[in-house]
Amino acid sequence: MRLSFIENGPALLVKGREETLVIADLHFGIESDLARHGYHFQSRSGERAERVLALVRELEPDRLLLLGDVKQSIPLTTRQEYRELPAVLALFRSAALLQVLPGNHDVGLERFLKEGELFPATGAVIDGVGYLHGHRIPDPALAGHLIIIGHHHPVVSLIDEVGCAARMPAYLRAPLDEHALWGTGAPDGQTRVLLMPAFNELSGYDITKIIGDPSSPISRAIIRDEAEVFLADGTYLSPYCSLEEHAGH
């Protein structure tokens, strides 16, 4: 298994027996949700979908795998989502085999999908790699694998010598405390997780807050002293602990 980091996603191309293009947290319909909170943006769904399709055309994967939160609104489906999702998903499935790991925002998404496109929310192993959105405890079948998840929208804040800051999408890779997830009988020290940044350009949450104040079963099980941070192009940035120390000063 080999991972290729696609900076202009951000996305991952996972190469095993097959090639899987992995994209997390599209959040189609986010604009109508933001409008309810006083932030008004014209819908960017068309541009976001075209970015996905451009990657599929360029990379020609065997599978397009969406790691949940394809839609934004919960628990209902908005007019924007009803209007946009059928056409967007039809374009995706016309370009590649489409499969979805549902996220916490994907209530009702099944009405827009075809038979066989929706995996269980507790995850699946595909071509030797575990996948799920990241808001649920993984199925024990994922133990011992690399598990790629979304949900957390990780970004890092980089500050230069004059104090200018830039927020950039990032990945966090770490071993998991299997016993914290699955209890006794879990494998010891074999399961790793890779947190993916959101594909949606309006989403992002600082890595130090994700780990410092964990809100999901997986983020609570991360062994932070062995965690590592990578930029969207796969460049190794630093151990997570160095970011945590810097944030504390």
Side-chain angles (χ1 to χ4, degrees):
M1 181 269 295
R2 184 162 63 91
L3 300 181
S4 295
F5 293 79
I6 313 301
E7 182 179 10
N8 60 336
L12 283 173
L13 186 65
V14 183
K15 301 178 181 181
R17 294 186 302 272
E18 300 177 316
E19 293 191 352
T20 300
L21 177 61
V22 187
I23 288 173
D25 297 287
L26 286 156
H27 287 277
F28 285 114
I30 193 172
E31 295 85 1
S32 61
D33 186 53
L34 290 171
R36 289 195 293 272
H37 295 85
Y39 302 98
H40 297 279
F41 296 88
Q42 186 175 6
S43 174
R44 300 180 183 176
S45 295
E47 293 87 342
R48 199 171 300 126
E50 178 53 36
R51 286 169 48 216
V52 174
L53 292 169
L55 291 178
V56 173
R57 289 192 294 264
E58 175 187 351
L59 300 170
E60 299 182 340
D62 297 293
R63 173 187 295 106
L64 172 60
L65 187 64
L66 306 183
L67 288 189
D69 284 3
V70 178
K71 61 186 286 289
Q72 168 68 18
S73 181
I74 48 173
L76 303 176
T77 301
T78 63
R79 291 180 181 178
Q80 180 186 356
E81 292 164 349
Y82 270 115
R83 185 173 62 250
E84 296 177 346
L85 279 172
V88 166
L89 294 172
L91 286 172
F92 288 175
R93 71 171 59 93
S94 70
L97 173 65
L98 175 64
Q99 295 179 320
V100 178
L101 278 300
N104 51 305
H105 283 254
D106 288 328
V107 177
L109 182 67
E110 63 277 1
R111 64 169 58 92
F112 305 114
L113 295 172
K114 295 186 179 297
E115 184 177 357
E117 290 181 340
L118 190 65
F119 282 108
T122 51
V125 177
I126 301 171
D127 203 7
V129 178
Y131 298 96
L132 78 159
H133 176 61
H135 65 302
R136 298 276 298 273
I137 295 175
D139 187 295
L142 276 66
H145 295 274
L146 171 66
I147 304 175
I148 300 176
I149 68 171
H151 183 58
H152 299 84
H153 307 176
V155 298
V156 290
S157 298
L158 302 180
I159 303 174
D160 65 17
E161 62 275 6
V162 297
C164 294
R167 284 166 56 87
M168 306 175 67
Y171 293 82
L172 185 135
R173 183 180 66 187
L176 293 177
D177 180 350
E178 292 97 339
H179 300 284
L181 283 174
W182 298 295
T184 58
D188 187 17
Q190 300 176 39
T191 309
R192 296 162 294 144
V193 68
L194 182 66
L195 275 63
M196 282 191 68
F199 195 88
N200 185 294
E201 69 283 357
L202 299 174
S203 301
Y205 197 67
D206 195 273
I207 277 182
T208 59
K209 295 180 180 179
I210 293 169
I211 306 303
D213 187 18
S215 60
S216 72
I218 288 183
S219 61
R220 288 191 288 270
I222 284 174
I223 300 174
R224 66 171 68 189
D225 291 344
E226 299 180 45
E228 300 174 302
V229 179
F230 299 80
L231 298 180
D233 64 354
T235 300
Y236 176 72
L237 181 62
S238 70
Y240 166 74
C241 59
S242 69
L243 294 181
E244 193 173 49
E245 290 169 1
H246 183 76
H249 288 294

